[in-house]
Amino acid sequence: MYLLCIFGNLIIIVVVWAAPRLHTPMYFFLCNLSTLDMAYVSSIIPKLLDSQITGNNRISFTSCCTQLFMSVVCLTTEFLLLSSMAFDRYVAICVPLKYPIIMNKNACIILSITPWTFGTFNSLLYIFLISNLSFCNSKDISHFYCETKAVLRASCSDIKHVNIVIVSEGFAIGFIAFGMILTSYVFIISSILKIKTSSRRLKIFSSCSSHLTVVLLFCGSSLSVYMNPDSEDSTELDIMLSLDMMLSLLYVAVVPALNPLVYSLRNKDVLDVLRIHKVIS
């Protein structure tokens, strides 16, 4: 899964960089998503693989904070970046004549830099809050990486204020961004249904449905983890921890591996470029 994600996303970046015909806003955002996915899995999966192979499941506090910082940056950024990509597709399909005007170079830069900037500052806030917590006798993290809620469970400090921040941001960033994505796709699907040519309608609808499926997987699994309060019952808590880890695996490993296949490697333009380079070589 890790190798599939890294090589799949690298292929997208190289192909887009090498083919001038792909120098469009859509592929610009896809390169951002590919970079983000590679950073996300590389901050978590190698350590997981190491612990599985060597049996060494220890991690230093500094490394744990670094992993937590990267995971929050990538999670927050991906929500906002998917919103930018949904807006780009909305403009391209619903108002195509105004697409070059609306999605100009400055707009693309703003829509790509804003998610990265917001994600970085949001993660710094989390690191500040967690670094000021106390960790007593138990330093076991019940997760396969230094996930925010798992680290909080290991703390013996009062974490109510941190939980308030998580829930507030989960609503502000997660649900609002998710709502914007769904709204964009409602308008997109509405426009697709108005297309008279059935073959073209089916082609666009197939592409959009694949995108929406991956978005639902990512947003649904991550929001389920962070917006679900911990139970005080030990049996229920154990079940929740197992469920959290399975859901985390979805948005940490599965979705980043699927993104190259869904967004680009099934795309006719990308496949045409790959065929041209294969013929030349």
Side-chain angles (χ1 to χ4, degrees):
M1 195 75 74
Y2 178 65
L3 292 175
L4 181 64
C5 176
I6 293 298
F7 286 116
N9 284 295
L10 273 176
I11 288 170
I12 291 172
I13 294 172
V14 171
V15 169
V16 172
W17 175 79
R21 63 185 285 191
L22 299 181
H23 293 179
T24 62
M26 183 180 79
Y27 291 104
F28 172 71
F29 289 123
L30 284 175
C31 284
N32 271 271
L33 183 64
S34 294
T35 304
L36 180 66
D37 284 341
M38 287 192 294
Y40 202 2
V41 297
S42 295
S43 65
I44 296 171
I45 303 301
K47 175 58 184 172
L48 173 62
L49 293 172
D50 174 66
S51 65
Q52 294 297 309
I53 294 168
T54 65
N56 177 23
N57 59 0
R58 293 179 177 272
I59 187 169
S60 67
F61 185 72
T62 303
S63 298
C64 186
C65 285
T66 303
Q67 198 177 64
L68 190 148
F69 172 79
M70 287 300 300
S71 64
V72 175
V73 168
C74 294
L75 190 64
T76 307
T77 303
E78 186 145 351
F79 262 98
L80 300 176
L81 190 58
L82 288 172
S83 301
S84 298
M85 293 171 69
F87 177 72
D88 171 69
R89 290 300 81 207
Y90 160 76
V91 177
I93 294 171
C94 299
V95 282
L97 296 177
K98 294 183 179 179
Y99 184 76
I101 300 171
I102 297 174
M103 297 305 296
N104 55 52
K105 185 178 180 180
N106 289 335
C108 290
I109 291 172
I110 291 170
L111 287 172
S112 63
I113 288 179
T114 302
W116 286 98
T117 305
F118 194 89
T120 302
F121 281 108
N122 182 50
S123 189
L124 287 172
L125 170 64
Y126 274 75
I127 291 298
F128 172 76
L129 292 172
I130 289 174
S131 62
N132 286 305
L133 297 177
S134 297
F135 295 89
C136 305
N137 295 328
S138 175
K139 295 184 176 65
D140 291 335
I141 297 172
S142 300
H143 216 290
F144 61 83
Y145 77 104
C146 289
E147 188 263 342
T148 308
K149 288 180 69 176
V151 173
L152 290 176
R153 292 187 193 107
S155 172
C156 56
S157 301
D158 183 7
I159 58 171
K160 288 182 180 178
H161 61 293
V162 185
N163 283 326
I164 290 171
V165 171
I166 291 174
V167 173
S168 301
E169 288 203 335
F171 180 80
I173 299 172
F175 283 109
I176 292 176
F178 190 36
M180 289 172 63
I181 293 168
L182 289 181
T183 303
S184 296
Y185 275 100
V186 166
F187 283 109
I188 288 169
I189 293 170
S190 177
S191 295
I192 292 171
L193 294 175
K194 295 175 184 177
I195 297 173
K196 295 180 180 179
T197 311
S198 59
S199 59
R200 185 164 177 266
R201 182 170 63 238
L202 184 63
K203 178 184 174 183
I204 299 174
F205 186 78
S206 174
S207 175
C208 289
S209 62
S210 299
H211 297 177
L212 191 56
T213 301
V214 174
V215 168
L216 288 171
L217 273 176
F218 173 77
C219 296
S221 57
S222 55
L223 286 174
S224 297
V225 170
Y226 285 97
M227 300 304 290
N228 192 19
D230 286 343
S231 173
E232 293 183 1
D233 183 80
S234 59
T235 305
E236 287 184 11
L237 184 59
D238 288 340
I239 296 171
M240 283 178 59
L241 291 176
S242 300
L243 183 61
D244 281 357
M245 281 192 275
M246 286 190 289
L247 290 172
S248 297
L249 198 61
L250 264 181
Y251 65 80
V252 166
V254 177
V255 172
L258 287 177
N259 278 338
L261 299 172
V262 170
Y263 281 102
S264 291
L265 298 180
R266 289 174 65 250
N267 187 292
K268 183 178 180 297
D269 292 333
V270 174
L271 292 175
D272 286 345
V273 170
L274 289 172
R275 288 193 195 100
I276 290 169
H277 280 276
K278 184 178 179 180
V279 170
I280 293 172
S281 60

